[in-house]
Amino acid sequence: MPLGGEQVPQNLDAVAVRAWCGLALDALGRAREEIDAINVYPVADGDTGTNLYLTVESAAQAVDAAFTGLDPTHPTLAEAVRAMAHGALIGARGNSGTILSQLLRGMAQVLGADRDTDHADGPALALALRRAAESAYQAVAHPVEGTVLTVAAAAADEAAAVSAAAGHCGAVARAAYDGACRALDATPEQLAVLGRAGVVDAGGRGLVAVLGALVGALSEGVAPRAASPLPRTASPDGNAEAVECQDAPGGATAPAFEVIYLLEADDTAVARLRTRLDRLGDSLVVVGGDGLWNVHVHVDDAGAAVEAGVEAGRPHRIRITHFGVGDAHTAGAAQPPRERVQRGIVAVVPGEGLAGLYSDAGATTVPTRPGEPPASGELVDAIRRAHAREVVLLPNDAELRHTAAAAAEQARTEGVRVALIPTRSAVQGIAALAVHEPDRRFDEDVVAMTSAAGATRYAELAVAERQSWTTAGICQAGDVLGLIDGDVALIGDDTTRTARSVLDRMLAAGGEMVTLVLGDDVPDSLGDELEKHVREVHLAVDTVVYRGGRQSALLLIGVE
């Protein structure tokens, strides 16, 4: 897919690597369901998009951690790319995520070779993409064309051609992206199972999204729109047709289990492990090095695959998935399962006070701290703690929509029915909780909670950290910002006056109930003052005030 417009040339440095991770996570979040839907090879288990998202999420968190405590400086390029590769390695999920982690490791081997350099140029990026493709092929026991491997190789070929013409990093990344798009479009012609299903390779589609994010990171944050997959073959009932993998040697059916674990072992032991696992099953991918490996294989005898890891070294983070059934966790498997409750609520909350409020209402909470949003794994853990057959998930933050969607999808593979209500603020979550009735049918409860959340306008007060352009004009450091439905609507110099103005603007459109959540940095008198203002100026409007504790906002406001 050719890209139009001239972009500002930029070399790849640690800041660009961090931006790449963020853009890739966002791109995979948007494309996750689409990629899951076209996942038919090597097993039609519909999780490639989710696995890629979780893998990149782990990589992005590792890069963010490398920046922690260094402001206003930043890590070297070598430190950033190694953090990215290590994060992907330890967080790799599924066949596609494991291969992606090796692609990133291959790039890190080139880009991180010089510990002292601050940036890489176009030829270095092209060399890194070549090493990435080669290392991914080496990691797969039996490489198959028409997969993500083919897409990675085509990206490297195009990058090399542009690099030879002295292209800068942005040009090299664009060439890699264009080459990957063309290769992706050709995958149904190379792999029969894709052609029969009428789709492109799901892993390759994910790699196109990741390379598009790299273009964006090197082009002022503007990533290209990834190519759409070919339409799926429709079955008579109108649903996407699940195509079994029929390309196994001898026409064998796909194995029953997916086994993944991290392994601490030396190179010699890993070489023996590859041979043993190759006899046990298929889709074998072993990635990593320097004593730490990620092992992925599809087998009928999951115990034998784990036992092989024990003989090779120290396996941990063992994950066994029975295709079509869900996860089997080896720890405590002999104990009878505790009976699940019928329905639970899981909510992300910004502050101890709100956590108590939500807990009192029966919700399982995921506390957050300013600037530290939860990862999808934390949300999945909370869903497990709720121990319910049905779970309503309240992210309470617009920025968490992709993270929450990935967590919900993961929980569904474990047999939990999850409904994600896209709450954008904790006050919308409070409104949803207020109408929650656990004895009502699940769908009816979700509709009622969604309606209550959607009918609640939300606002917050925050303090500007620096001079900046906003939708309400230029703010200075220390100004009080009044944000309504996510946009800066007012700029003031006094918390109480700004809060009153925000309330007046919101209530001008009507309302029956005002919810105020006070942060740690404002006194109780602010709540008293605002409650009095509402009572005197806006007749027949009730006000309820809560203490939120430590949170990113001075004040949260909800109007129903």
Side-chain angles (χ1 to χ4, degrees):
M1 176 182 301
L3 304 176
E6 293 298 321
Q7 303 291 348
V8 178
Q10 180 177 334
N11 286 324
L12 184 65
D13 58 12
V15 174
V17 169
R18 191 182 199 183
W20 178 23
C21 287
L23 289 170
L25 192 61
D26 187 59
L28 288 171
R30 293 194 304 271
R32 181 187 59 78
E33 291 184 354
E34 170 196 308
I35 296 173
D36 282 347
I38 64 170
N39 174 202
V40 299
Y41 183 85
V43 175
D45 51 354
D47 63 358
T48 292
T50 299
N51 287 336
L52 287 169
Y53 180 89
L54 295 173
T55 301
V56 172
E57 181 183 56
S58 182
Q61 289 172 344
V63 174
D64 284 343
F67 276 77
T68 301
L70 297 182
D71 190 48
T73 61
H74 53 74
T76 65
L77 173 62
E79 291 168 337
V81 294
R82 287 176 178 174
M84 175 180 64
H86 181 73
L89 175 67
I90 64 175
R93 302 289 290 271
N95 185 72
S96 54
T98 306
I99 293 174
L100 178 61
S101 76
Q102 188 68 0
L103 288 167
L104 296 179
R105 178 178 173 82
M107 293 187 70
Q109 288 174 337
V110 173
L111 299 174
D114 187 346
R115 295 176 178 271
D116 298 323
T117 188
D118 286 332
H119 65 271
D121 57 14
L125 178 57
L127 185 60
L129 290 167
R130 172 63 63 200
R131 177 61 188 142
E134 292 172 349
S135 62
Y137 270 92
Q138 293 165 3
V140 177
H142 300 285
V144 174
E145 296 303 327
T147 65
V148 63
L149 298 176
T150 308
V151 176
D157 289 343
E158 293 296 327
V162 169
S163 172
H168 55 78
C169 271
V172 169
R174 269 200 314 234
Y177 171 81
D178 288 343
C181 285
R182 287 190 289 270
L184 178 66
D185 289 341
T187 55
E189 302 168 11
Q190 298 172 291
L191 193 55
V193 66
L194 300 180
R196 286 193 296 271
V199 298
V200 295
D201 179 66
R205 170 65 179 84
L207 180 59
V208 164
V210 172
L211 290 174
L214 178 60
V215 175
L218 295 171
S219 307
E220 298 182 323
V222 181
R225 184 180 297 275
S228 297
L230 299 177
R232 300 199 75 187
T233 303
S235 60
D237 62 4
N239 294 322
E241 183 177 341
V243 181
E244 295 294 334
C245 175
Q246 301 172 6
D247 294 79
T253 58
F257 297 97
E258 177 185 61
V259 179
I260 306 175
Y261 50 80
L262 290 178
L263 178 70
E264 296 177 18
D266 59 36
D267 292 3
T268 303
V270 169
R272 292 195 299 267
L273 176 66
R274 288 179 190 269
T275 301
R276 182 170 177 182
L277 291 179
D278 194 27
R279 297 193 190 105
L280 285 175
D282 59 29
S283 297
L284 174 61
V285 185
V286 181
V287 302
D290 301 321
L292 181 63
W293 309 81
N294 192 305
V295 179
H296 170 279
V297 67
H298 293 173
V299 293
D300 283 318
D301 189 345
V306 175
E307 182 180 322
V310 173
E311 293 181 3
R314 188 178 79 86
H316 52 105
R317 293 196 186 184
I318 300 169
R319 187 176 187 85
I320 301 172
T321 302
H322 190 299
F323 292 119
V325 175
D327 290 348
H329 298 281
T330 55
Q335 300 177 0
R338 178 167 56 92
E339 182 68 19
R340 291 178 180 271
V341 299
Q342 183 60 32
R343 189 172 308 160
I345 307 292
V346 172
V348 179
V349 291
E352 299 92 333
L354 281 176
L357 175 66
Y358 273 79
S359 296
D360 289 344
T364 300
T365 62
V366 182
T368 64
R369 294 168 296 278
E372 298 181 29
S376 57
E378 294 177 69
L379 301 186
V380 173
D381 287 343
I383 293 172
R384 290 173 182 152
R385 292 200 312 274
H387 205 66
R389 298 182 184 90
E390 303 165 338
V391 169
V392 177
L393 180 57
L394 306 173
N396 292 338
D397 187 337
E399 298 299 321
L400 290 179
R401 62 192 185 281
H402 296 322
T403 301
E409 188 64 31
Q410 177 60 36
R412 291 181 188 118
T413 68
E414 300 178 11
V416 183
R417 187 181 184 188
V418 182
L420 170 61
I421 298 179
T423 49
R424 296 170 172 263
S425 170
V427 292
Q428 288 189 323
I430 292 172
L433 272 179
V435 300
H436 166 55
E437 292 185 13
D439 295 331
R440 188 162 43 193
R441 286 181 57 249
F442 185 64
D443 290 340
E444 293 176 356
D445 200 27
V446 170
V447 168
M449 295 176 70
T450 302
S451 178
T456 302
R457 298 186 67 198
Y458 63 96
E460 68 175 74
L461 261 62
V463 177
E465 296 181 355
R466 63 183 67 88
Q467 184 185 60
S468 179
W469 285 93
T470 76
T471 50
I474 301 176
C475 70
Q476 305 295 330
D479 281 349
V480 179
L481 306 179
L483 293 86
I484 299 177
D485 295 333
D487 294 322
V488 177
L490 294 166
I491 300 174
D493 56 8
D494 178 79
T495 301
T496 301
R497 286 197 299 271
T498 305
R500 282 200 300 259
S501 297
V502 169
L503 277 169
D504 290 342
R505 185 169 296 192
M506 296 178 75
L507 288 169
E512 299 175 354
M513 169 72 75
V514 170
T515 300
L516 304 174
V517 181
L518 308 181
D520 252 5
D521 295 331
V522 297
D524 290 336
S525 59
L526 175 63
D528 297 336
E529 172 66 27
L530 296 179
E531 187 174 10
K532 177 183 177 183
H533 176 75
V534 171
R535 185 171 60 249
E536 294 177 348
V537 178
H538 303 280
L539 301 179
V541 177
D542 295 324
T543 304
V544 59
V545 182
Y546 300 109
R547 264 290 174 186
R550 284 181 297 168
Q551 57 190 34
S552 56
L554 293 174
L555 174 70
L556 297 178
I557 302 173
V559 173
E560 304 173 49

